[in-house]
Amino acid sequence: KLKEENKLLDGIHITRNSLFKCVSSVSFNNILNKSISAVVGEQQNMKVSSTALSGLFLVSAYVTCPINAFTVQQSGITKIARSRTSMSISPLEETESQSTSRSGRTREEIENELSSGRILEDGPVIDFGSIKDTSSKAERALLQAKDDYLAAVSSGGKESVQLGFAGTGQQRLMGINDEVVQEVGREVGAFIDDDEKIQLCAAYLRSKAGKGLFEENDDAKTLSEAELNSIDKSALDALLIEAYAESGTVTEAFAKTFYLGTQLLPEAAQKAIWAVYVWCRRTDEIVDAPRQPEDTNMLTDLSAWEIRLENLFKYGIVEDVLDLPLLDCKINYPKLPIEPFTDMVRGMLMDIPDLGQDRYETFEELHLYCYRVAGTVGLMSMPVFGCAPGYTEAVAKEPALSLGVAFQITNILRDVGEDAVKRGRVYLPRDDMERFGVTEEQILAQRLDDNYIAFMKFQIERARMYYDRALRGVPMLSPESRLPVQSSLDCYGKILDKIEENG
């Protein structure tokens, strides 16, 4: 049967060993069979984006974590337990109300950014790429933090500026905290403490980059032919392999189902997706993870993190061993753009109290947030997954961004109570809530009634509309990407089904 399915997949090159490895899980086997049928049966001839759905596979992992169970509180809002935080659904404990908004964005700032969005295909998808209000409070705060960081580095060197989360007896890599260490089961990136070797590996990689990919910089030398002949390339190759393996370990720890799906990809694409995932994971942890008094200020970390990103894409500079896979990814996929990465940083800014936004008046406002934290991941993955012949990334963009909106709406509907009670955030559009007679107090109290059920059904249908727009691109993916993408889509779509079943 597997041989027959491989023939039908028309160019999706999956070995028997890869399939047997992946279908060892009964649940994934079911998903796989369904996905094969969908990919084979839907060879539609539509001129729609192909790599748009490249984002689908990666976004499905980033915006959610493996689902262990679905339960419904007797007196509250439907919730889904996630392995990442080991949250089970139990009656809500007495919690001090967090209904007071700490939004820092003014109406003028919001409108300035919304008005700059570009509508794609005359439809409901808006491209907010590279859009930011440089006069906004958040942007000014980030710029000031960057200036302060660069001034401190200039006067005392990088070693004088503490960044990231303090570990036991050592300073951890940025974006690596207690939660990450707990999920992985050990310190991350601790397999090497030889910065000289890491930098030599980076120079070795830069020397293999295409001409003009990186600008010249005193801190980012390439190796001469004589130097290349004198170094131990095998040792540097082994270090890069180990850095990729570490990225895969982090990916598997936080997104087991997604990691299983990456096993269906060609090795180069598989490793590239791990590199991108780990960058996204670290970015998320910088903003959302709890901080202790001894930890660095969040805005300082985020500003330094963006500077590091800019230096990597512009010069090929790395700061730690987990940067090596992303550098290698940029070299292997030269068209990988920096814009979705910096746009995601803006999405992180939107979640920072007193600078960002924790209430959304309209869906248009939420759409901007969905683009920044989820649609961007689709754009990051486009060069990795590739388009089928005859399709371009420009054509692919609309379905990719549709998928980002669909996944993030799903994520929001899944986590309504947790976001409101534990984080003080209500992402659901207020005008929709008012139209259906749902109040913020009701959400904080997790009180379920007919109004809330009708409201959720409306939001679910909106998400499905975006899924439908994104689904058009699956047959247009490069052949080797279709099966893992379709598998991820099938799995993620079940969240909406389960929320609906739970009433």
Side-chain angles (χ1 to χ4, degrees):
K1 180 177 179 181
L2 292 175
K3 287 181 179 178
E4 290 302 312
E5 288 168 341
N6 270 332
K7 291 178 183 177
L8 290 171
L9 283 172
D10 185 29
I12 300 181
H13 307 298
I14 304 169
T15 66
R16 289 177 61 85
N17 288 339
S18 296
L19 280 169
F20 284 136
K21 187 195 310 183
C22 289
V23 300
S24 59
S25 161
V26 174
S27 61
F28 192 82
N29 193 15
N30 293 335
I31 294 171
L32 187 65
N33 289 336
K34 179 179 178 182
S35 300
I36 289 172
S37 300
V39 175
V40 173
E42 298 296 326
Q43 293 294 326
Q44 302 145 330
N45 217 357
M46 300 178 295
K47 188 68 177 179
V48 172
S49 108
S50 109
T51 27
L53 271 292
S54 63
L56 171 159
F57 182 42
L58 183 54
V59 174
S60 68
Y62 175 64
V63 299
T64 189
C65 300
I67 298 169
N68 292 332
F70 298 87
T71 58
V72 183
Q73 290 179 248
Q74 293 181 349
S75 60
I77 296 170
T78 303
K79 295 256 310 164
I80 298 172
R82 298 185 296 168
S83 64
R84 172 188 171 192
T85 51
S86 301
M87 289 185 182
S88 59
I89 305 310
S90 58
L92 182 66
E93 297 178 357
E94 290 294 322
T95 307
E96 183 179 350
S97 174
Q98 299 184 34
S99 61
T100 301
S101 172
R102 293 183 61 186
S103 291
R105 283 160 60 82
T106 67
R107 176 54 41 195
E108 182 181 4
E109 292 171 3
I110 294 170
E111 292 300 330
N112 283 344
E113 292 188 333
L114 292 182
S115 64
S116 300
R118 298 173 291 274
I119 298 175
L120 301 180
E121 296 187 15
D122 297 322
V125 179
I126 302 176
D127 176 14
F128 290 103
S130 300
I131 290 172
K132 59 184 178 183
D133 182 356
T134 55
S135 65
S136 69
K137 181 180 178 181
E139 282 293 334
R140 286 185 285 112
L142 183 65
L143 180 60
Q144 185 61 56
K146 292 172 82 169
D147 287 344
D148 292 344
Y149 169 73
L150 291 173
V153 170
S154 177
S155 63
K158 290 181 181 178
E159 298 76 13
S160 67
V161 184
Q162 178 178 314
L163 297 172
F165 300 89
T168 303
Q170 70 177 75
Q171 185 64 29
R172 288 170 172 157
L173 305 184
M174 282 190 69
I176 304 301
N177 51 45
D178 287 341
E179 180 182 328
V180 176
V181 171
Q182 181 178 358
E183 287 292 331
V184 173
R186 56 173 172 75
E187 291 290 341
V188 175
F191 60 88
I192 181 172
D193 61 0
D194 186 347
D195 185 63
E196 185 176 341
K197 185 174 182 180
I198 293 172
Q199 295 305 324
L200 180 60
C201 185
Y204 171 53
L205 293 175
R206 288 191 296 268
S207 300
K208 298 194 293 184
K211 185 176 181 180
L213 181 61
F214 300 118
E215 296 182 20
E216 292 184 5
N217 185 280
D218 290 340
D219 294 327
K221 300 291 188 181
T222 57
L223 301 179
S224 66
E225 186 173 348
E227 289 171 323
L228 286 171
N229 290 332
S230 65
I231 61 174
D232 185 353
K233 297 187 186 69
S234 62
L236 299 180
D237 288 334
L239 174 58
L240 181 62
I241 290 171
E242 194 165 7
Y244 268 121
E246 190 82 335
S247 299
T249 297
V250 173
T251 304
E252 183 180 19
F254 279 89
K256 293 178 176 60
T257 304
F258 162 69
Y259 176 82
L260 187 63
T262 66
Q263 305 305 296
L264 292 171
L265 288 168
E267 183 179 0
Q270 174 190 101
K271 294 193 300 183
I273 292 301
W274 292 348
V276 173
Y277 177 89
V278 168
W279 185 89
C280 293
R281 169 54 43 201
R282 295 173 75 181
T283 307
D284 186 64
E285 295 296 338
I286 286 171
V287 173
D288 263 356
R291 288 181 178 263
Q292 304 302 321
E294 63 271 22
D295 293 330
T296 310
N297 175 274
M298 179 204 308
L299 201 57
T300 299
D301 271 0
L302 193 61
S303 63
W305 187 244
E306 183 167 68
I307 290 171
R308 285 175 57 158
L309 175 73
E310 293 165 348
N311 286 338
L312 189 150
F313 272 77
K314 189 174 183 178
Y315 305 115
I317 293 174
V318 306
E319 298 292 342
D320 62 46
V321 69
L322 292 186
D323 289 340
L324 290 174
L326 188 59
L327 172 61
D328 191 54
C329 180
K330 175 61 180 174
I331 292 169
N332 292 331
Y333 301 93
K335 292 184 178 180
L336 181 69
I338 191 175
E339 287 77 17
F341 293 83
T342 55
D343 285 346
M344 176 173 279
V345 171
R346 268 76 209 155
M348 298 298 108
L349 274 177
M350 291 178 74
D351 274 338
I352 296 179
D354 302 322
L355 288 179
Q357 189 171 353
D358 56 19
R359 301 295 187 276
Y360 293 83
E361 297 297 329
T362 66
F363 177 71
E364 287 69 27
E365 294 182 18
L366 184 62
H367 195 142
L368 172 61
Y369 179 75
C370 290
Y371 162 78
R372 285 176 168 169
V373 301
T376 51
V377 191
L379 302 184
M380 294 173 194
S381 63
M382 277 187 179
V384 177
F385 282 87
C387 296
Y391 297 90
T392 66
E393 291 186 6
V395 177
K397 181 172 281 191
E398 200 273 352
L401 296 184
S402 293
L403 217 287
V405 174
F407 279 141
Q408 191 59 25
I409 294 175
T410 304
N411 198 41
I412 289 167
L413 299 182
R414 182 197 63 192
D415 293 339
V416 171
E418 178 184 333
D419 285 333
V421 175
K422 294 197 172 186
R423 300 188 177 95
R425 301 171 187 162
V426 179
Y427 293 104
L428 300 170
R430 282 180 162 179
D431 60 351
D432 289 344
M433 290 170 59
E434 183 177 353
R435 182 151 61 96
F436 283 89
V438 175
T439 66
E440 186 171 313
E441 291 71 27
Q442 175 181 354
I443 291 174
L444 287 164
Q446 300 200 12
R447 189 173 66 253
L448 191 68
D449 61 14
D450 290 342
N451 288 350
Y452 183 79
I453 292 173
F455 170 74
M456 288 291 281
K457 286 183 179 295
F458 173 78
Q459 301 299 335
I460 287 171
E461 287 308 308
R462 171 182 275 158
R464 284 179 174 150
M465 180 270 292
Y466 282 104
Y467 276 115
D468 289 342
R469 295 189 70 84
L471 187 61
R472 302 172 303 158
V474 171
M476 305 304 147
L477 286 167
S478 59
E480 63 271 17
S481 300
R482 294 173 192 162
L483 180 59
V485 167
Q486 183 68 55
S487 299
S488 297
L489 177 59
D490 291 343
C491 184
Y492 205 89
K494 288 296 182 183
I495 297 176
L496 293 179
D497 296 341
K498 204 65 182 181
I499 292 174
E500 206 165 35
E501 290 172 12
N502 286 341

